[in-house]
Amino acid sequence: MTDATSACVLCRGAEGDPDLGRVQVWEDRLWRLTTAREGELLGFSYLEPKRHIPHLTDLDGEEARTFGPVIGRISRGLKAATNAEIVYVYIFGDGIPHLHVHLAPHREGDPLNTSMIRGAVVETKLPSGATAIVSRDFPALPSSTHEPVLARIRQQLATPE
Ligand SMILES: [Zn+2]
């Protein structure tokens, strides 16, 4: 174990779960799923690799190859087990630097919504049927600031890793 992993609560596996108010409900060779045993939501879960992979940007190897099938299976299982309408998925990474995917089964009337934006939020239905969610506290940036970023993303992804 390196210093990074020995200090990491998620690398402690099931031993670290009580400190996080959760319990393991599934595992395979590479992944484990834990679920909160308290709180305002039923079935709020965390999928994480057993190996210390800090962030989604570090995902590689067998975990990268199995991520899609695993998260699909887990989401279907959580949805069915909790009678959820949908399962929200969040990855943040600025708390504990060991990749963990938050899976939140969502039902009408629970505390969840789709907002992850600071300030007063305004929702606007678009002609496409999608909903634009913007903060009144953060005005839209001019398109001249978006264009160079779009170009850099295209350039970055056109280059094989
Ligand atoms: Zn770790």
Side-chain angles (χ1 to χ4, degrees), residues 41 86 88-90 104-107 109-117 121 123 133:
L41 292 167
I86 196 164
Y88 289 165
V89 175
Y90 321 89
H106 172 55
R107 287 164 298 271
D110 74 17
L112 299 174
N113 66 22
T114 56
S115 181
M116 285 195 277
I117 300 171
V121 167
E123 293 191 12
I133 303 170

Side-chain angles (χ1 to χ4, degrees), residues 13 23 64 122 125 139:
V23 64
V122 181
K125 277 279 179 209

Side-chain angles (χ1 to χ4, degrees), residues 74-92:
I74 297 302
S75 300
R76 285 189 295 275
L78 288 173
K79 182 173 187 272
T82 62
N83 261 335
E85 293 150 27
I86 196 164
V87 178
Y88 289 165
V89 175
Y90 321 89
I91 300 175
F92 300 104

Side-chain angles (χ1 to χ4, degrees), residues 4-5 7-12 49-53 96-99:
T5 57
C8 173
V9 65
L10 301 190
C11 281
R12 288 166 52 203
K50 292 181 176 177
R51 184 163 64 97
H52 186 82
I53 297 173
I96 298 173
H98 177 137
L99 176 61

Side-chain angles (χ1 to χ4, degrees), residues 3 21-22 29 33 56 58 72 132 142 144:
D3 286 347
R22 62 190 201 167
R29 190 167 52 82
L33 184 74
L56 190 60
D58 304 306
S144 61

